[in-house]
Amino acid sequence: MAHEHRQPRTQAELDAHINAIKRPLRNTFDGMFPLHADMELTDDQIRIVHKYLKEVNFHLPGATPEEFLVVRWARYTGFQFIQELLEAYAVGLRCTHPGMEDHHTFIRMSWAQLMGEPDAQRVPVNEPVLANDMMTLARYRDTRTGPSRTGIDSYTGDGDTDVPGVDFDLKLLNGALDNVISHQATGKGREINSWWTPALNWGAAMAGRYPRLKYFESKGRLDRARLSQLHDFEERAARVEPVLRELGLASPAPVARDALAQAAKAEKGSFVRRLRIRNPRPLTESRPDIDVRTAEQRPLIEPQSDLDFPTADDPRDSQSVERQR
C-alpha cells in the first residue's frame, strides 16, 4: 500500500518540511523597485505572527486563530500587485484543525510589523482565503475546501469517453462565455480593470480548450452527448457574436478553422512554429556600455525590427545582428 503523506502537525515538523524545499530565487527586472526581500522568519517573528492572528481574530471557518502553523519563508509582495503597499509581506499559514490539515492560507503583514516595531504600519487584513480558492479554475472543481484535482487527476470522472477532459473543457468554455456575457451587461466595455479577466479567460479557452475539442470532433472521437454540448456552446457564441466584436474578443468559427488547418499541417510534418523570444535583463546583471549620444532613444516597449529579435527559425547570434545594422 502506498505511503500516505502526513501533514505537519507541529511548528517543528513544518519547519523541517519547509527546510527540505529549495528556496525559490526571485530576480528583479527593469521597472521593479522592491524595498525589501523575502525573509526567513525567526522564532520571535513567528511569535509576532501568532500574536497578530489572535489580535485580529484571523481564522478559517470552523477553526480558531490558535490553530495555525507559520511558514517561515515570508514572501515580499510590496512590488508585485497593483495597489499593494510597498511594505507588504505575505506570511503563509497552515491549519491544524482536525480534518482541515490540508487548508493553506496566508495573512498580509508589513515589514515593520515583522521587525517588531511598536508603531508599525499595518496593511489591511485580508480575508482568510484558501490557497486552492485562489486558483483560476477553482470554481470548476467539485468542492470549495477540498484539494483541487489538477493534472491527470482533473480528468477523472470522464469514464464513458475515450478522450480525457472533455467534460471539463466544455464546462470551462461555457463558463468563459458566461463571464463575457455578464461583463457586457455591466456596460463597462473595455475598461481594463473589469474587462481583463473575462477577456483573458476567453482567450485561454479559445487558444487551448476549444481547438482541442474541434480536433477530436474532426476525428470522430466525441460521443453524441458531448458533440451536442459542443454545438450548443457554438450556437450560444454565435448569438452573441456582436458582443465578442464589441469587446475585441476572438470568434469561435475562425479559431476552429485555423486550428484544424494547423493540425493538418502538423500531421503532415509541414507545420513550423515561429517563436519570438526576448528575455528581460535582470538588474543583477551588468548592462553593456552604451554611448548615449548615439544610442537609439526609442522606448524599449516598442519592437524595433525583426533584426532586434532573432527567432527560433532564424537563429542568428547577437554579433551577426549587429553587423547587419
Side-chain angles (χ1 to χ4, degrees):
M1 184 173 64
H3 174 69
E4 184 177 353
H5 174 69
R6 181 178 180 274
Q7 294 285 351
R9 296 289 305 171
T10 66
Q11 188 66 49
E13 290 178 354
L14 179 57
D15 291 345
H17 173 71
I18 297 300
N19 287 336
I21 301 174
K22 185 177 180 181
R23 296 291 189 265
L25 297 177
R26 170 177 285 168
N27 216 330
T28 56
F29 300 96
D30 295 336
M32 293 183 177
F33 304 100
L35 296 180
H36 305 294
D38 298 346
M39 72 169 77
E40 193 96 17
L41 300 181
T42 65
D43 291 341
D44 286 339
Q45 288 172 321
I46 286 182
R47 283 190 284 271
I48 290 173
V49 174
H50 279 298
K51 181 180 178 181
Y52 186 58
L53 293 174
K54 289 186 285 187
E55 181 181 337
V56 298
N57 194 26
F58 190 90
H59 65 279
L60 293 174
T64 67
E66 291 80 7
E67 294 179 295
F68 280 120
L69 302 178
V70 177
V71 178
R72 282 190 184 268
W73 189 245
R75 301 286 281 173
Y76 174 61
T77 60
F79 72 108
Q80 286 187 295
F81 305 108
I82 297 175
Q83 297 181 342
E84 178 65 284
L85 296 176
L86 289 178
E87 294 287 331
Y89 274 81
V91 180
L93 304 170
R94 293 200 178 196
C95 189
T96 60
H97 187 83
M100 300 175 65
E101 291 87 352
D102 60 352
H103 291 8
H104 304 167
T105 186
F106 70 96
I107 189 168
R108 297 164 67 241
M109 297 179 68
S110 71
W111 179 87
Q113 279 182 286
L114 294 173
M115 292 298 106
E117 295 184 2
D119 298 322
Q121 176 187 11
R122 295 193 174 193
V123 298
V125 179
N126 56 285
E127 292 292 329
V129 294
L130 297 178
N132 51 318
D133 279 349
M134 299 297 288
M135 296 173 63
T136 302
L137 304 184
R139 63 196 174 107
Y140 297 109
R141 306 298 183 184
D142 293 337
T143 63
R144 174 186 178 274
T145 57
S148 293
R149 294 186 303 171
T150 58
I152 295 176
D153 290 341
S154 66
Y155 292 146
T156 58
D158 293 351
D160 54 344
T161 177
D162 68 334
V163 182
V166 169
D167 291 338
F168 197 57
D169 291 346
L170 289 166
K171 191 183 298 185
L172 285 170
L173 286 173
N174 282 291
L177 184 57
D178 290 341
N179 288 348
V180 169
I181 295 172
S182 297
H183 172 75
Q184 193 271 342
T186 67
K188 294 183 179 180
R190 302 191 197 183
E191 196 275 316
I192 190 66
N193 290 327
S194 59
W195 168 86
W196 179 258
T197 296
L200 182 64
N201 290 340
W202 178 257
M206 289 295 100
R209 304 283 178 168
Y210 182 61
R212 178 176 184 267
L213 292 180
K214 295 302 290 182
Y215 175 78
F216 287 125
E217 177 192 21
S218 72
K219 298 299 181 181
R221 295 184 59 185
L222 298 185
D223 60 30
R224 182 177 300 177
R226 290 172 177 82
L227 193 59
S228 176
Q229 293 178 54
L230 176 60
H231 292 166
D232 287 345
F233 162 77
E234 291 173 325
E235 291 175 5
R236 288 183 64 211
R239 288 196 295 269
V240 297
E241 177 69 24
V243 174
L244 297 176
R245 287 198 301 268
E246 177 186 339
L247 298 178
L249 303 179
S251 298
V255 168
R257 182 183 63 246
D258 293 345
L260 292 177
Q262 177 178 312
K265 287 184 178 180
E267 290 176 340
K268 294 177 182 178
S270 59
F271 174 73
V272 178
R273 181 179 295 278
R274 185 175 177 84
L275 300 177
R276 294 179 181 274
I277 302 174
R278 184 189 182 193
N279 294 326
R281 181 187 297 110
L283 294 179
T284 51
E285 291 182 5
S286 60
R287 291 175 176 273
D289 294 332
I290 298 177
D291 186 344
V292 296
R293 294 169 298 178
T294 59
E296 193 165 4
Q297 299 299 311
R298 285 182 293 178
L300 291 176
I301 58 173
E302 295 181 4
Q304 299 181 11
S305 73
D306 281 348
L307 290 178
D308 293 324
F309 313 119
T311 61
D313 45 348
D314 186 18
R316 293 168 290 180
D317 61 28
S318 57
Q319 292 182 351
S320 64
V321 171
E322 288 295 329
R323 287 195 295 270
Q324 295 182 49
R325 284 184 170 177

